[in-house]
Structure formats: structure tokens, C-alpha cells
Amino acid sequence: MSDFEENVIDGVVEEIIFENDDTGYRVFTVNCDGILHTVVATCPPVYAGEAVTASGEWKEHSAYGRQFVCTEIEKTFPFELAGMLKFLASGAVKGIGPATAQKIVDTFKEDSFYIIENEPERLTQIRGISREKAHIISDSFRTTLGIRDIMMQLNEYSISPNMAVRIYKRFGGFSIDIINREPYRLWEEIEDFTFAAADKIALENGFEPDCEMRVCYFIRFVLTHNLTNGHSFLPYDKLAQISAANIGIETADAEGYIDKMTAEGRLYEQEIGDLRAVYLPAMYLAEKYVVKKLYNISNYVKKEITDIEKHIDALEKMLNITYAENQRAAIRMSVENKVMVLTGGPGTGKTTTLNGIIKLYENLGFNVTLCAPTGRAAKRMSDVCKREAKTIHRLLEVDMARDNTFVKNESNPLKTDAVIIDEMSMVDIRLFEALLHALPDYARLIMVGDADQLPSVGPGNVFCDIIRSERIETVFLNKVFRQASQSKIIINAHMINRGEHPDLSNSSDFFFVKKSSAESVTDAVCALVSERIPMRYGKDVLNGLQVIIPTKKTQVGTQAVNAMLRELVNKPSASKTEVTIKNRSYRVGDKVMQIKNNYDIVCRRKNGTYESGVFNGDIGIIESIDLKQRILSVAYDDRIAAYEFADCDQLELAYAVTVHKSQGSEFDIVLLVLSDITPLLQYRNLLYTAVTRARQMLIIVGNEKVFYNMIDNSKKSNRYSGLRHMLSEFSDGGDGLL
């Protein structure tokens, strides 16, 4: 075929140029009456020799020229000898290379495929093919046919090729049977497969809207969805009402299904105060485990350490420092107790106290392990403690071969005498449970953080629950030291936390630029980022300056502001490679953030070693884009990560980030935008968290009314979590945790 304006091509697959079986992305050539065309498609596997009919459109690629971008494809296995030979010689069937393929086709002619599939013993007629090898060839051939058939059937359900690949990898030959019998498993077991998509398949396949399977899965969906809102459980009444209203059944019927699922162990119930709490099993068991493990560590028989005050005196002399009373108390308690919390706001000496605890532990011969929930928080901990700190994920070592579980656990615990966690407010119940599984009972546990910051993105309210339970020894640092008291950032942060209105007059490190309209706000932000801050302070958004905005949407949300700032500080040019992937543009030099944990991405560290994993909140710069290999490289603080194009939807621009995404990080200069914010985001601890991200300077641009409204709104989002109650109520027949 030679007419480039046609949107359908027919031909035979000639050569596979590139393919990624994880995503279904493929580039191959098709021979159309002697003319070779390059086809780009996301589709089930294609093989040389197959006849294809492809629909799509022609596009001009900047590097590879004219390509046919396929949107739909039909395939037929080859039945002519030339096509059969090409298919068998392509490597699609294990055990057959070009020479063997030629022998098979020469021997069996048009019956070659039938013989391989149904009478493999006859392949032994060919020299070099044993009976064992014949069956390997036959099994591989049948598997190839099975994948192809299932992928084509999945396409009939309007399931994208990318998602079809994931489904086949999970369920194999049972994929279609599971879709027909229990389609909701697609939502529960396939990443990014929505409940709505599974529900659509079920209803189209004849499932009744009020059938038991649909109702029970919807109840689990409601609980699962609310994990993203931070809830470990939902009250029984609320869960039943929500489920009934959305499914279209009576509340009493929903309650009956909840009771049945609880009796069968598919849900768990627990009395939490005056609430009848309903949990997904994993959440219930996580909270119960955390309580029991904290008790075990707290009560593990430990070697008595005497003369603690003398040890602290020696520490002060060694470090040429005099600790404040509550700092000294914290250091002493870290020795007297196996489990302890250290909390306080900015400027109250948390870092000094933490370093004292670490040094004293080392003087006592303890092997100390430092960790934090995010990469940037771990780096900051390393910087202030002058010792290596790891993310909790890296400390526990992700086991990619076992569904991204952790290598470190009870049977393979951490080899340490003490674990110190910084930014503990960011740790959710699932991550904390995983860490405790790997912590030996004899080890000490110190949890450090600011309890007034935002809670974790994931489910639970771990840090606050532990403190409020009053069952774990907690030291509150509340005295602002003299040097810190000179900083308006720190003074104002504490005023905000107390609900007081700070003086908004400018100082050496705190500025409020009053703007009312969205246009004036964005104009001011662009001017500050592109000119005023770089020229006066030598910082820019790629080095030391971070724009923080509470909201993603609206004219002054992160999405709009990112687009504007990108064109100011990283303008397109012929020297900067740029690519559009899934309707999102990436350019060399862009500042980007990883928005979900990915344990598969390969990273090269500065020392030349390799490791896997990038994590939610990591910020880096796009270093290179290889259009031929389809690889995008991002330089993070200590490593370079190589992304296949299919994984790039996990990256978003980070010239401006939300407050939640900034948590755990500190920046030399923070430009905080407060304008056009929904009332749902106008609350005190969100403002407090944003303000405390600034290390040297804070510039607020926006509406002072919004600023004051946030201070006045002390209401924190209500999270359903049972950890505090379980800690308070726990008893092994003795005196409790401590």
C-alpha cells in the first residue's frame, strides 16, 4: 500500500523493532505489497509472518520519520509457507531458531502448525529434535497461541492493550474465565483497574445490580477508597448507609452483607469507644500488630545502664554543649526506655537532642540505624546528623520477586540495636507495621517528629495516636532557643500553631506580598521566580527555591503555575529534547517529582553502583531523553533513575508542589501561594506545615484573609483510626506497655 492518507493498512509483519511486554507498546514493520511501513501500536504480541489489518493515522516523528500510529489491529496467523517460516524463525516459539524452522517447514509444509500443536512426537523426525525438546516446542507454541487469543478476547471488553497485558500476567490462561465469573477481581488484584470498569463488565455480563457479589465487593471498595482519605476503618452505620445508597438496596440488606462478610473473616469488627468499627482485614491486623509489637519491645529485658547522668555530663563536655532541661530529660529517657517519642516544633532543639541521643548510643556501643519515610526527609536527616539515613523502604529492602513485599521481616530482621525514625508524622499504619515486623524485640525505637504537622497521606494517624494514648514515654520540646527566636519564620510558625495572628510586616526572612486577584498573584509569582529571587538571593527553582501551593487546580494551583514557570525557566530550544507521553510533555531540564512508589526503576548511584526504586515525593531534574531507546533519565540528589516511557506518567512537573508533597522536605527559600483556595483546604496545620518548610526565607504571595482564615480554623480532618484506643486498652494481664 502506498497511499499515506489511508487510515487502514493490510500486510504481513516483517520485523519487530521494539516491544515492551509490560506495557504492550510495540514498534514493527509491515510489508504491504512490497512496501515496508513502520507501525507503532499498544497491542497484544505480534509476530513476524502474521497477517495484520491495522487502523489508525499517519504521523511524522521528529527522529524516525513517517509512522503509522495504530489504534486498532486484527491479526491472523500465517497459513502460507513463507509466513509460517518467518513466524517460526522469529524466536516466538521456544526451542526453534531459523535453521530448525526451515527444517520443520520443509518437512511438514502447510501442516507445520498443526503438527507442532497436536502431534509434537512427529517433530522427532527432524534431526536434533528429541522427544523432550519436541514437547518443549509444542508447549511454547500453545502458550503463544493462548496469549494471543486471550489478549484479543480482552480487547472485546474495551480493555486497553496495556491493561490487558497486566491482566494476562496476573491470571494467565484463566483471564477470560475470571472476567466472566468474578470480574471484580480485576479491581482488587490489578493495579489501576478501577472499580467502575470492573462493575461495567459485570453488569454487561448479566450480573444483577443487587447481587451478593456486587454488594460485597462494593462494601470492600468503600473501605479501600477511604484508605486514601486516611481512614483505617469506617463506622458500621456509615459504611452500611453509603453502600446501600450507592448500590440501590435497603440499609438493612447492606448490614446483613457486612455481618456475613465479618462472620466469614472477609471483614473485621472492633468496638472503638462508642463506635462499631469495620475494617479490611489488613488494616485491623496492622493496628493489632503494632500495639503488640510496641508492648514486646517496651518490655523486653534489657541490660541495665547505670550512671546515665554521668554519661550525659561526659557527652556535654565532649560536644562542648549544655543541654536544656527537657533536652537532657529526652536523652536520659532514650536510655531508660526501649520506646520513646521526641516531638516539638521548629527551633526547639529537636536536632540537637537527636544528635545527643545518637552520640550517647554510640558511646554505649549501640549500632544505630537512622531512617525517614521519604527520600528528601532521609537526606535531610543525613545532613543534620552527619550519618547515613535511609528511607524506610530502602532500609527494609523491597522484594520485587514477591509482589513488592519487604526482604526484612521477623525471619530476617534488621541487625541493629536502635532505630530512630524522623518525620514520624508522615508514617502510615502499613509502613509502620512493616518496619516493626523487621525490628528485633531487643532493639530500641525512637520516633521523632512534629505532631502538629499534617498526618500521613496513607491510612492511620500513627504518630498522634501514639502520643495521645499516653502509653509511650513522650518528651515535648516547647522552648524556642535564643538563636531560633531571631527568625520571624520560627516565631510566626509558633504563633500560627497557637492560633495567633502574626505581624505581616516584612523582615529579613519573612515577607508577605499582598495580592488579591488570581492574575496579580500569578504575575507576582512569575516575577519573583524568574527575576527578583535569583538576582537578589542567588536561588532559583532548580536550586534552593521551591514554590508551594495548597491546591492543584484553579488558576493559581500547581498545575497552572507549573506550566507558566516551566516556560519561564526552562524554555524549549533545539538543544533540549522533548517528548509527549500520554498527553504530558517532558523536556530536558524540567524539574519533576515522582508521585508514587516504584520499586522496579533502575537507578545508578554516584559511586557507580546500581539499585532499584524511586519513591513518592522524590524531586529531580530530567537529564536526558533517548527517543530511540525510549528512556528518560532523571537526576535525583544521589542517583540517576532510568524511566521507560511507559513509566513516565509517574512523573509530574515540580516547579510548584502541593503542601502535602512538600512534607518531610526543607528548602532554603519557600514561595508560598495563598489565593483562590477552597475552604476545605483552609486549615491551620496545613498552613503550619507549609510555613515550616522554609529554612532561610519565606515569601507568601496572596490574600491575607485566606492566611488568617487558615489560622483561625483549628479543625483537623477527622480520621477513623483505632490505634490510640487499642494502645490505651491493651493489657497482657500486667500493667500495660511501660
Side-chain angles (χ1 to χ4, degrees):
M1 193 197 110
S2 59
D3 186 355
F4 281 93
E5 300 308 311
E6 292 285 341
N7 60 2
V8 177
I9 63 172
D10 290 289
V12 176
V13 176
E14 186 76 19
E15 180 185 8
I16 310 300
I17 298 173
F18 175 86
E19 60 184 344
N20 182 327
D21 286 332
D22 289 336
T23 63
Y25 181 85
R26 307 177 199 282
V27 181
F28 51 94
T29 57
V30 175
N31 188 330
C32 301
D33 298 329
I35 300 174
L36 285 181
H37 297 305
T38 300
V39 177
V40 177
T42 301
C43 64
V46 294
Y47 304 102
E50 282 190 308
V52 297
T53 300
S55 303
E57 60 179 329
W58 291 96
K59 290 189 176 180
E60 189 72 34
H61 192 282
S62 58
Y64 305 121
R66 197 77 150 167
Q67 294 180 334
F68 188 79
V69 180
C70 173
T71 55
E72 189 174 332
I73 189 169
E74 294 181 8
K75 306 188 300 172
T76 306
F77 254 28
F79 294 104
E80 296 180 354
L81 290 183
M84 287 183 170
L85 176 61
K86 188 178 289 292
F87 173 81
L88 293 176
S90 69
V93 179
K94 185 177 179 180
I96 299 180
T100 304
Q102 187 69 62
K103 293 176 183 177
I104 292 174
V105 172
D106 287 345
T107 304
F108 300 109
K109 305 294 192 255
E110 286 83 357
D111 294 331
S112 294
F113 284 179
Y114 178 85
I115 299 298
I116 294 172
E117 182 178 8
N118 300 294
E119 300 178 14
E121 292 85 359
R122 291 179 61 184
L123 294 175
T124 59
Q125 299 175 28
I126 297 172
R127 186 174 181 181
I129 298 182
S130 64
R131 184 180 182 84
E132 181 181 3
K133 184 175 181 179
H135 283 282
I136 291 173
I137 290 172
S138 182
D139 289 344
S140 176
F141 183 79
R142 284 196 291 266
T143 299
T144 299
L145 264 64
I147 293 174
R148 175 182 176 277
D149 291 344
I150 287 173
M151 298 286 276
M152 297 303 288
Q153 288 182 66
L154 290 174
N155 190 52
E156 294 177 7
Y157 290 97
S158 299
I159 295 173
S160 70
N162 189 342
M163 192 61 70
V165 170
R166 296 187 192 182
I167 294 170
Y168 182 78
K169 288 180 69 175
R170 174 66 183 88
F171 299 120
F174 297 101
S175 298
I176 300 301
D177 181 55
I178 286 170
I179 286 176
N180 290 330
R181 227 172 6 91
E182 199 172 357
Y184 296 101
R185 286 183 64 184
L186 299 177
W187 159 72
E188 194 164 59
E189 300 182 42
I190 305 297
E191 185 178 8
D192 296 331
F193 202 99
T194 66
F195 183 89
D199 196 40
K200 182 173 182 288
I201 292 172
L203 295 175
E204 288 179 352
N205 277 355
F207 285 74
E208 294 298 326
D210 60 350
C211 70
E212 179 176 338
M213 180 185 295
R214 184 171 188 248
V215 176
C216 289
Y217 268 105
F218 188 79
I219 290 169
R220 289 178 62 84
F221 165 71
V222 173
L223 288 169
T224 302
H225 174 74
N226 276 279
L227 297 179
T228 64
N229 296 325
H231 301 306
S232 296
F233 69 82
L234 286 181
Y236 180 94
D237 294 343
K238 181 172 287 191
L239 176 61
Q241 291 164 7
I242 293 172
S243 301
N246 282 275
I247 289 291
I249 59 176
E250 296 297 322
T251 301
D253 293 330
E255 291 174 346
Y257 285 119
I258 294 172
D259 294 341
K260 182 178 181 182
M261 294 170 76
T262 302
E264 294 171 349
R266 291 189 283 165
L267 297 177
Y268 279 78
E269 285 190 20
Q270 171 82 26
E271 294 297 325
I272 305 291
D274 58 354
L275 290 178
R276 185 179 174 186
V278 182
Y279 287 86
L280 292 168
M283 292 299 102
Y284 176 80
L285 296 174
E287 289 190 348
K288 294 294 269 187
Y289 179 83
V290 165
V291 172
K292 180 65 176 176
K293 183 70 173 188
L294 289 176
Y295 174 85
N296 289 345
I297 298 173
S298 297
N299 289 276
Y300 188 88
V301 178
K302 55 186 181 292
K303 179 181 178 182
E304 190 70 24
I305 299 173
T306 59
D307 298 326
I308 298 175
E309 296 296 336
K310 289 183 179 179
H311 283 293
I312 300 175
D313 290 340
L315 188 64
E316 288 183 323
K317 186 175 181 180
M318 177 190 304
L319 300 177
N320 191 25
I321 191 172
T322 300
Y323 293 112
E325 183 178 346
N326 58 355
Q327 289 180 309
R328 191 178 181 97
I331 297 172
R332 181 178 64 253
M333 290 177 186
S334 73
V335 178
E336 293 175 340
N337 298 277
K338 290 288 301 304
V339 182
M340 192 190 95
V341 168
L342 176 65
T343 185
T348 57
K350 279 204 310 290
T351 297
T352 300
T353 307
L354 176 58
N355 278 324
I357 292 171
I358 294 169
K359 188 61 182 175
L360 180 55
Y361 277 2
E362 291 173 345
N363 290 346
L364 293 170
F366 293 173
N367 176 18
V368 183
T369 299
L370 308 184
C371 63
T374 68
R376 294 189 72 83
K379 184 179 185 303
R380 178 174 164 270
M381 192 182 192
S382 295
D383 292 342
V384 300
C385 295
K386 310 302 180 189
R387 293 163 178 82
E388 181 186 23
K390 297 181 178 180
T391 63
I392 298 174
H393 289 87
R394 200 170 300 288
L395 178 66
L396 299 180
E397 300 176 26
V398 177
D399 187 350
M400 291 179 290
R402 298 178 57 196
D403 294 328
N404 293 332
T405 54
F406 293 108
V407 173
K408 296 296 182 183
N409 48 44
E410 286 98 337
S411 59
N412 182 27
L414 296 166
K415 294 179 173 59
T416 186
D417 299 308
V419 167
I420 301 177
I421 313 170
D422 198 11
E423 296 290 352
M424 183 64 194
S425 63
M426 298 178 67
V427 178
D428 65 43
I429 188 66
R430 290 178 290 198
L431 186 57
F432 193 48
E433 179 200 17
L435 178 62
L436 292 185
H437 273 293
L439 191 64
D441 287 352
Y442 63 77
R444 295 168 184 269
L445 177 65
I446 308 292
M447 295 167 279
V448 184
D450 186 342
D452 294 314
Q453 288 187 21
L454 293 170
S456 61
V457 174
N461 202 11
V462 176
F463 196 44
C464 284
D465 279 355
I466 288 174
I467 293 171
R468 290 161 61 203
S469 74
E470 299 183 350
R471 302 299 295 275
I472 301 295
E473 191 67 59
T474 300
V475 177
F476 296 89
L477 301 178
N478 46 32
K479 176 187 175 183
V480 178
F481 285 87
R482 182 181 303 172
Q483 183 177 357
S485 68
Q486 307 305 308
S487 166
K488 283 289 291 289
I489 297 173
I490 291 176
I491 293 170
N492 290 345
H494 284 278
M495 291 184 69
I496 290 167
N497 204 27
R498 295 192 298 267
E500 301 170 6
H501 289 194
D503 176 9
L504 295 185
S505 59
N506 295 334
S507 68
S508 60
D509 67 348
F510 183 95
F511 300 86
F512 200 108
V513 182
K514 297 178 184 178
K515 299 291 180 182
S516 53
S517 69
E519 292 79 5
S520 64
V521 169
T522 54
D523 287 347
V525 169
C526 289
L528 285 163
V529 169
S530 63
E531 298 175 9
R532 293 170 61 184
I533 294 175
M535 290 176 64
R536 185 165 183 180
Y537 301 105
K539 302 288 184 181
D540 58 47
V541 285
L542 301 181
N543 179 32
L545 166 63
Q546 182 61 57
V547 179
I548 297 178
I549 309 175
T551 183
K552 280 188 173 183
K553 299 179 180 178
T554 78
Q555 189 175 338
V556 291
T558 56
Q559 293 175 349
V561 172
N562 265 317
M564 287 186 287
L565 295 182
R566 182 194 197 209
E567 299 312 305
L568 282 173
V569 303
N570 189 34
K571 295 174 180 166
S573 73
S575 63
K576 296 177 183 176
T577 307
E578 188 169 340
V579 65
T580 298
I581 304 168
K582 297 181 181 178
N583 299 317
R584 187 177 289 176
S585 174
Y586 301 91
R587 182 181 302 155
V588 168
D590 274 340
K591 183 179 184 180
V592 292
M593 173 182 280
Q594 175 75 14
I595 60 173
K596 65 186 292 187
N597 292 337
N598 187 321
Y599 308 111
D600 300 328
I601 291 175
V602 177
C603 303
R604 177 170 55 83
R605 299 186 70 85
K606 289 182 178 179
N607 61 10
T609 61
Y610 288 85
E611 61 183 27
S612 294
V614 287
F615 304 102
N616 188 4
D618 285 351
I619 295 177
I621 307 295
I622 296 179
E623 185 178 73
S624 65
I625 299 174
D626 188 328
L627 296 174
K628 187 173 183 180
Q629 297 296 323
R630 301 183 63 79
I631 296 293
L632 182 150
S633 296
V634 178
Y636 292 106
D637 290 324
D638 57 347
R639 66 203 190 283
I640 296 175
Y643 290 78
E644 293 185 5
F645 281 6
D647 292 324
C648 287
D649 58 350
Q650 299 172 18
L651 291 171
E652 62 182 28
L653 293 178
Y655 302 101
V657 300
T658 63
V659 180
H660 285 86
K661 290 295 186 182
S662 73
Q663 195 175 359
S665 302
E666 281 189 351
F667 309 94
D668 292 340
I669 301 177
V670 166
L671 200 166
L672 174 61
V673 181
L674 297 179
S675 174
D676 194 18
I677 304 171
T678 172
L680 294 174
L681 291 174
Q682 293 186 31
Y683 53 94
R684 185 185 300 167
N685 67 338
L686 185 136
L687 176 61
Y688 173 75
T689 301
V691 168
T692 53
R693 298 310 91 208
R695 185 185 294 118
Q696 299 173 6
M697 182 179 297
L698 173 67
I699 303 169
I700 302 176
V701 178
N703 190 326
E704 58 186 315
K705 183 180 179 181
V706 171
F707 180 75
Y708 291 136
N709 284 346
M710 295 178 80
I711 295 172
D712 294 340
N713 183 10
S714 62
K715 184 179 179 181
K716 298 181 180 179
S717 57
N718 180 35
R719 289 194 167 201
Y720 293 116
S721 165
L723 185 61
R724 177 189 178 188
H725 174 84
M726 292 182 188
L727 281 166
S728 300
E729 296 293 317
F730 182 81
S731 174
D732 70 333
D735 295 326
L737 283 177
L738 296 176

